[in-house]
Amino acid sequence: MREFIFLIPVSLCLGLIGLAAFMWALRKEQYNDLDGAAHRILDDDDDRPISTVIDDSGSGNGG
Amino acid sequence: MASKVLDKHHREIVFSVPDIKCGGCINRIEKRIGALDNVTKVRVNLTSKQVTVKWNSQQDPPAVSHCLRSLGYISQISVDPLDTDRDQVIPYLIRALAVAAFASGNIMLLSVSVWSGAEQQTKHLFHVLSALIALPAVAYSGQVFFHSAWRSLRHRSTNMDVPISIGILLTLGLSCYDTFVRQSTDAVYFEAPVMLVFFLLIGRTLDHLMRKKASTAVSGLAKLQPSGAWISRVGNGVEYRTLSEIVPGDKLKIAAGEYVAVDCLVDSGSSDVDCSLVTGESVPRNVHVGDKLLAGSRNLTAGLYAIATADVKDSYLSQMMSIIQNIENTRSKGRRLADKVSVWYAPVVHLAAVLSFIAWYYLTDDLHHSVTIAIAVLIITCPCALGLAVPMVQVVIARRLFEAGILVKDGAALERLVQIDTVVFDKTGTLTTGKPQLVNAEAIEPVAFEMAVAMARVSQHPYSQAILTAFQDRAGTVFPEEPETAIELAGYGLQLMVAGCRYRLGRPVWAVEPFSESLQQNESSNHANISSTVEAQTALSESVLTCNGEVIAEFLFEDSLRDEAVSTINSLRAQGLHIHCLSGDSASAVKSCATELAIDQFNAELLPDEKVAYVDTLARSGHKTMMIGDGLNDAPALAAAHVSMAPGSASEVGRNSADLVFTRNNLQAVLQAITLAHIANRSIKQNLCIALAYNALALPLAIGGWVTPLVAALAMSASSIVVMANALRLNAWGCLTSHSKLSGLNNSVVTPKVGQYA
């Protein structure tokens, strides 16, 4: 019986933390663009080979 | 501009950019716009295909639209006031679902130890804990059902949420009473109401997500319509204003290729206007100074200045909207299947509960025990599986339709689709391609054809485009050089001077005018005398190519049928459906189309409300009608029909009032939708049977007093899982059949006709 006094609040708190984390993610619009995130992960920013900088817009400022 | 003020220093604006497709687009757009002056933040949303730009409002707004155009993306300012309501429902549902999941998970864990035989004291402690979790969770997550039930009761009707709410509240009440007042542990069911809320919220959330996805996809198609117009200012120059900012009296500048934003009168210039999406006329209309332009029509040949005669709220488009509103307010399209079931389901269940209470009280004289039994009856018959039976199937089927390029905006439309016995088609843009095609290409001499093509290249007129398309279809032909001197005379045709010869391609009356040098000076005044109603009363329209007034070739155009129209109509007829055709186009054009498709019942030159009247007449004579149309003039009829469908190329209002929208340019979608609706219907009925059979089995247990909290929880989960599994079965099994069915179809996606805005 004594263990419950620790264990139940601990487990409930863990659950509540998970719930709060989910709510936070929801409020911070983490789920608004699931498709975009899948593509963004592939983007290496400016990590391109120096010799073959591909200018993707046709103007001088490629990056 | 339609921007939102964030704080003192920042404003935000959202652009809709339908062509964003991949990570490359995100990267490119964010880098280029981020590099503009004043931009503090730019974020691309790939899911909704929108770009949000935040900028420093104390300085000039950045030229985002221009920048996007230089990258090759067509953009428009996203103004979607209707969307905000819906956007708040889904986050609430997801939050409610998360809370219910947390609560039901934890209460379940506590309950398992109670069921597996804890000591009396432990049981009581766990029940108190469960109550502390369950009460706030149900108060938060259950609101969806309580609100809906309350609304329904206030209107003196009943829906599925009424028995659900009564069940949840009574169960919680009894459990709290037993735990806190009687300090007993025998009739405590905290897990049941929380689990019920959780399972039902799954169904509810899926249903909303499905609709949201479809409406996002539908609004993604809105790129065809202007979100504003260029207004020429009193001094000089032009400025872009969004639709809501245009007031009567504003002078609109409408370039060739652009759509007309609001109703207006032509102030200067003359041009040809494509009204096919507005009135259903397949032949472009010639407009001059003083003529009226309807919002939604497309300017084809020359730039126009026009004075706005109405703001957005009063234009033709909005008149259609108010007719639609009126239709939607005054008639119901039949109740949803689940609500129909609940009409007799709720009384039966509540009667059973009352009867078992009376019987037990009469037999045992134990008030508490009798109440416990009555509530057990309510718990065990709570329509958890019923609440899942319909949305689960509809979500699965909607996904399948989505993959086939058909968007379902409301699950209820699938229920109505299986009831139809009549299909009413619009002609222009639905049965036909909406674009004229050259029908006598074979008969034209190659030299003359090449000359015509050379001239047609400078023009956006549908006939010119048809000549180009026909020319491209000829194998091994090389495009002649584009002549520099070809000029387009709005309403008449094209003129080209080569080595002293005057070539004209266009209206016969104009093209055969005798040629002399002096006439050229006052060309335009001559044209005004020519009647613009020369267009023959036949289905075919004609242009001629002349050299110095002598005809060298004739071009015949027809708004030709879609390739698959005949086969689709025949298949529909084979299913025993009656086919009708309604059109705003001329009688002869409709007749020739109807004859080709062997449609007996057709009507031409109909106004929008006449189409509605026709659909109503069909409804009154007991027919369930499916309306398929694309124009603004079809929109009221789409709203009035029992169920409706529009192609993705339809006018915005048309798409919005249709229940289903097909984005692939293929009429076969109608067949597919009907087939899948039948599959969905069968599956829904199976699910309802499973749910009802389970209730029928469980009811005697409850009345007999054998339902313990454990039995209630098990029975509820089991029935829900069976119903879900049955719905998901459609996914696995359906893939095979859908592939074989779809493989024969042309999967080309509608290529949007995009005007040059911005």
Side-chain angles (χ1 to χ4, degrees), chain A residues 1 4 8 11-12 15-16 19 22-23 26-27 32-36 39-40 43 45-46 48 56-57 59 61-63, chain B residues 21-23 26-28 30-32 35 43-47 71 91 94-95 98-99 102 106 110 122 125-126 129 133:
Chain A
M1 192 65 190
F4 289 154
I8 290 175
S11 65
L12 282 179
L16 277 175
L19 185 63
F22 178 75
M23 294 294 187
L26 212 56
R27 188 162 308 138
N32 276 21
D33 183 15
L34 297 174
D35 302 330
H39 282 95
R40 278 171 201 277
D43 178 21
D45 283 331
D46 44 15
R48 299 179 185 184
D56 46 19
S57 61
S59 83
N61 185 7
Chain B
K21 296 245 157 51
C22 63
I26 298 180
N27 196 0
R28 206 149 46 217
E30 289 192 349
K31 274 186 184 150
R32 283 296 290 275
R43 180 87 189 175
V44 175
N45 187 327
L46 186 65
T47 313
L71 287 171
I94 293 177
R95 282 198 302 272
V99 169
F102 166 80
N106 281 291
L110 294 170
T122 322
L125 173 69
F126 281 12
L129 279 172
I133 301 171

Side-chain angles (χ1 to χ4, degrees), chain B residues 224-236:
Chain B
L224 301 178
Q225 258 64 34
S227 61
W230 288 100
I231 306 292
S232 91
R233 281 189 289 215
V234 185
N236 55 349

